[in-house]
Amino acid sequence: MKLLVTGGAGFIASNYIRHVLHTYPDYQVINLDSLTYAGNLENLKDVEDSERYTFMKRDICDSHVADGLEFDAILNFAAESHVDRSILDAQPFLQTNIMGTYNLLEVARKRNCTFLHVSTDEVYGSIEDGFFNEESPLMPNSPYAASKASSDMLVRAYVETHKINAMITRCSNNYGPYQFPEKLIPLVILNAINSRPIPVYGDGMNVRDWIHVVDHCKAVDTVLHKGTSGRVYNIGSRNEQPNIDLIKKILSKTAEKLDLDENKLMGLINFVEDRKGHDRRYAINPLMIEKDLGWKPEMTFDEGIEKTIEWYTTNNQWWGRIISGEYIKYYNLQYGERLDT
Ligand code: NAD
Ligand code: DAU
């Protein structure tokens, strides 16, 4: 197969491209990415010389985005993905996540190719008890989540109206290598290493369901090969944790790994003003993809988080460049007045 992957210089899609190139010796991948602050070609340094891999700097909002390219399927990972940024400025979220998806759906319609849309559990909003399934109503609470829900609706409309072959995946919180350190887990690890305060929003009791990025990539790949058009597939690993427990676990493991004073790292924890509209709990029921398609998460959280801490503590070159410049500007804007220390 020849796959057109959008957003391939970002966290999840770079892991996905690596997975595909390693798993299928005859597959080709074209990576289209406009290289926003979150896109980093170093995420694919190890595969960039492969004859089966091509990178092109293109914007999914450009109606000529796929001109001159041949492919069997589009996997749309490209997005503005950070909730806090969508609270500061929603415009790029509406542009890329809604208009960009529309644009790619038009490409899929005209080329008659498969379309796999990578969405998120955040479209369901927050749930106090129980779990989201694929029939749960969409109740997005942040501009980011609303833009993703809108794009999901467009995919549905193109299946119904134009009969394109399309699937949607909705995954829970990912962690693992190459994640931009504005997201909680890499932020905690890097701030611990660099003795910077760790901002915990509100009371720290918001719950997320964490899945290792490689398990997510395998699930997306399973849906691509075995999924039914028009279906939504929820992806999660039944690994719910309140933020504060997760943060303490990471600090404890980081202290052990680097032989640092655990109490000192715990002292970096800094409760700050809550995120606006902060969803209390996400919890996914992944039964459909498990039963119908035979996918199951393979990585336990302990194994995954240890590997992740190992990765960030040994890849200083990768994050060294990232946490200077644009990231520091964002960090100061986001936390400057909220942190005590
Ligand atoms: P990311 O922010 O790390 O990467 C996004 C990538 O998209 C970047 O490389 C960026 O340059 C590119 N991009 C942005 N706008 C573009 C445009 N207009 N044209 C072309 N490229 C553009 O994101 P991520 O965390 O890897 O998330 C990937 C996808 O998975 C997103 O659609 C997100 O909604 C979804 N998702 C993320 C998570 C998570 O926990 N991170 C969980 C579930 C679903
Ligand atoms: O559920 C899937 C979603 O997970 C994806 O669709 C999003 O793209 C992805 O960013 C993620 O959204 P969250 O908002 O859940 O992830 P984030 O890492 O930003 O925050 C995780 C939790 O930690 C959340 O409850 C907010 C809290 N938090 C986050 C940061 C960055 C803090 O307490 N302190 C922080 O500094």
Side-chain angles (χ1 to χ4, degrees), residues 16 20 27-28 54 91 101 123 131 163 181 186 195 204 209 215 225 229 255 258-259 284 295 306:
Y16 179 73
V20 167
Y27 276 31
Q28 294 178 41
T54 311
Q91 201 280 338
T101 302
V123 297
F131 299 90
K163 310 295 173 212
S195 296
D209 171 7
D215 275 329
H225 290 95
S229 184
L258 298 181
D259 202 15
I284 274 291
W295 169 88
E306 275 161 27

Side-chain angles (χ1 to χ4, degrees), residues 190-307:
L190 296 192
N191 282 19
I193 298 172
N194 292 292
S195 296
R196 293 166 66 91
I198 293 163
V200 182
Y201 299 168
D203 63 2
M205 290 307 290
N206 300 66
V207 172
R208 297 291 183 267
D209 171 7
W210 294 95
I211 183 170
H212 192 272
V213 62
V214 172
D215 275 329
H216 180 194
C217 292
K218 289 179 180 170
V220 167
D221 202 48
T222 303
V223 173
L224 174 71
H225 290 95
K226 296 188 189 167
T228 302
S229 184
R231 282 260 174 99
V232 171
Y233 294 93
N234 284 349
I235 303 166
S237 65
R238 298 188 180 85
N239 174 39
E240 285 179 53
Q241 303 187 47
N243 292 338
I244 189 66
D245 293 0
L246 171 80
I247 291 166
K248 286 183 175 165
K249 200 176 287 174
I250 294 171
L251 292 178
S252 170
K253 284 184 187 287
T254 304
E256 193 186 324
K257 163 116 197 70
L258 298 181
D259 202 15
L260 298 171
D261 179 348
E262 185 173 330
N263 287 331
K264 236 181 177 170
L265 293 197
M266 295 293 173
L268 295 172
I269 291 177
N270 207 296
F271 286 90
V272 299
E273 186 189 324
D274 209 354
R275 174 186 276 175
K276 288 183 191 165
H278 196 176
D279 285 331
R280 194 65 173 167
R281 174 173 174 258
Y282 300 145
I284 274 291
N285 179 353
L287 210 61
M288 185 194 284
I289 186 171
E290 290 177 348
K291 264 183 52 193
D292 291 2
L293 307 187
W295 169 88
K296 266 196 182 348
E298 293 166 20
M299 188 105 56
T300 64
F301 183 73
D302 274 352
E303 187 192 349
I305 199 66
E306 275 161 27
K307 277 189 171 178

Side-chain angles (χ1 to χ4, degrees), residues 60-267:
I60 63 165
C61 301
D62 177 355
S63 58
H64 298 291
V65 66
D67 283 6
L69 304 176
E70 280 176 30
F71 44 86
D72 305 302
I74 300 173
L75 290 100
N76 184 29
F77 292 82
E80 287 295 335
S81 69
H82 192 42
V83 173
D84 290 323
R85 288 186 191 250
S86 81
I87 296 167
L88 292 174
D89 179 11
Q91 201 280 338
F93 289 75
L94 310 191
Q95 179 65 16
T96 286
N97 300 1
I98 304 175
M99 292 309 291
T101 302
Y102 153 73
N103 200 34
L104 294 172
L105 284 165
E106 277 296 300
V107 173
R109 178 175 76 82
K110 290 175 189 153
R111 301 287 191 94
N112 197 20
C113 72
T114 296
F115 189 83
L116 193 155
H117 183 59
V118 178
S119 189
T120 168
D121 63 355
E122 291 200 20
V123 297
Y124 298 122
S126 190
I127 188 165
E128 242 172 68
D129 304 302
F131 299 90
F132 297 121
N133 61 42
E134 287 78 359
E135 305 298 320
S136 300
L138 303 194
M139 307 267 275
N141 292 319
S142 70
Y144 160 69
S147 69
K148 293 296 289 189
S150 306
S151 63
D152 288 15
M153 293 291 93
L154 281 170
V155 176
R156 178 193 148 82
Y158 269 67
V159 171
E160 292 298 316
T161 304
H162 296 299
K163 310 295 173 212
I164 69 163
N165 181 43
M167 283 87 63
I168 296 173
T169 58
R170 293 185 182 141
C171 190
S172 61
N173 285 60
N174 283 223
Y175 69 96
Y178 305 103
Q179 186 167 31
F180 194 83
E182 63 190 352
K183 307 281 166 56
L184 183 66
I185 288 187
L187 183 142
V188 170
I189 301 171
L190 296 192
N191 282 19
I193 298 172
N194 292 292
S195 296
R196 293 166 66 91
I198 293 163
V200 182
Y201 299 168
D203 63 2
M205 290 307 290
N206 300 66
V207 172
R208 297 291 183 267
D209 171 7
W210 294 95
I211 183 170
H212 192 272
V213 62
V214 172
D215 275 329
H216 180 194
C217 292
K218 289 179 180 170
V220 167
D221 202 48
T222 303
V223 173
L224 174 71
H225 290 95
K226 296 188 189 167
T228 302
S229 184
R231 282 260 174 99
V232 171
Y233 294 93
N234 284 349
I235 303 166
S237 65
R238 298 188 180 85
N239 174 39
E240 285 179 53
Q241 303 187 47
N243 292 338
I244 189 66
D245 293 0
L246 171 80
I247 291 166
K248 286 183 175 165
K249 200 176 287 174
I250 294 171
L251 292 178
S252 170
K253 284 184 187 287
T254 304
E256 193 186 324
K257 163 116 197 70
L258 298 181
D259 202 15
L260 298 171
D261 179 348
E262 185 173 330
N263 287 331
K264 236 181 177 170
L265 293 197
M266 295 293 173

